[in-house]
């Protein structure tokens, strides 16, 4: 008899609070605002280790918390958005969208390698970061899904084979 395992991790402290604005077109974007994001992770695979773990759970939770901490209380800006102009110095990050101009202390900004700061992009970015950390578990883990919710009832997931 064969089957697969699925491990779901969605602890109360898998969260981060961050500011962003979503760009809708070259002349339309949301106002700068924030969310209390929540993160949930699901791993799936055919086998467990000698102690019956798909992955070492304590280490996996620590990794998720670490990723959330990098984004917590930051302004999230997309490096690859064709409609934003970004400039940075050691002290500040400045972004322009049309006539709007924002300047933030560099230490309070995370520049993400995405075209827009959406829950879809955040889920994919977190997926990649966690997949890189969990590379040594590829013998047991086949799939990884990361879900990011920005409000109750509104979020996105990114799922892919490792």
């Amino acid at each position: 008899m064969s089957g697969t395992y699925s491990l779901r991790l969605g602890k109360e402290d898998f969260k981060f609070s961050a500011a962003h604005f979503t760009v809708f077109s070259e002349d339309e974007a949301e106002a700068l605002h924030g969310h209390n994001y929540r993160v949930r992770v699901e791993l799936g695979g055919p086998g467990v280790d000698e102690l019956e773990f798909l992955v070492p759970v304590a280490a996996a939770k620590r990794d998720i918390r670490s990723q959330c901490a990098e984004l917590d209380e930051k302004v999230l800006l997309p490096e690859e958005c064709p409609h934003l102009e970004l400039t940075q110095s050691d002290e500040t990050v400045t972004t322009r969208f049309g006539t709007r101009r924002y300047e933030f202390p560099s230490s309070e900004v995370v520049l993400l390698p995405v075209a827009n700061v959406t829950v879809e992009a955040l889920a994919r970015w977190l997926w990649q970061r966690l997949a890189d950390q969990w590379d040594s578990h590829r013998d047991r883990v086949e799939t990884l899904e990361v879900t990011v919710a920005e409000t109750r009832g509104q979020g996105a997931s990114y799922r892919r084979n490792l």
Side-chain angles (χ1 to χ4, degrees):
M1 184 178 215
S2 67
T4 60
Y5 295 89
S6 185
L7 175 65
R8 291 172 201 84
L9 301 169
K11 306 294 279 181
E12 282 293 314
D13 61 345
F14 292 177
K15 62 183 179 175
F16 60 94
S17 299
H20 82 116
F21 61 94
T22 302
V23 176
F24 298 116
S25 67
E26 68 183 47
D27 56 359
E28 184 182 1
E30 294 178 312
L32 181 67
H33 65 284
H35 293 286
N36 294 314
Y37 293 94
R38 310 227 21 111
V39 175
R40 186 175 58 82
V41 172
E42 183 171 335
L43 300 108
V48 292
D49 67 14
E50 66 279 356
L51 294 175
E52 304 272 350
F53 287 113
L54 190 58
V55 297
V57 176
K61 291 189 293 188
R62 197 169 38 250
D63 293 342
I64 297 164
R65 288 181 181 110
S66 174
Q67 293 304 318
C68 290
E70 284 189 38
L71 303 174
D72 194 38
E73 297 186 358
K74 302 293 184 184
V75 177
L76 309 180
L77 296 174
E79 287 183 304
E80 299 173 4
C81 183
H83 307 304
L84 289 182
E85 177 186 323
L86 285 172
T87 54
Q88 63 185 114
S89 69
D90 290 339
E91 298 171 4
T92 62
V93 174
T94 304
T95 187
R96 293 181 186 272
F97 177 79
T99 60
R100 293 169 25 191
R101 178 183 178 276
Y102 299 102
E103 185 173 280
F104 305 103
S106 294
S107 63
E108 296 179 17
V109 173
V110 175
L111 296 174
L112 297 169
V114 298
N116 211 354
V117 180
T118 62
V119 286
E120 295 90 344
L122 289 170
R124 186 182 68 243
W125 183 81
L126 283 167
W127 183 98
Q128 188 61 61
R129 302 279 296 228
L130 292 169
D132 291 346
Q133 286 186 286
W134 297 340
D135 188 56
S136 63
H137 304 299
R138 289 178 191 250
D139 59 328
R140 291 185 310 277
V141 177
E142 291 180 344
T143 60
L144 170 61
E145 180 175 335
V146 175
T147 301
V148 177
E150 62 185 9
T151 60
R152 187 177 301 274
Q154 182 171 321
S157 297
Y158 184 76
R159 179 182 184 93
R160 194 169 103 197
N161 289 344
L162 287 180

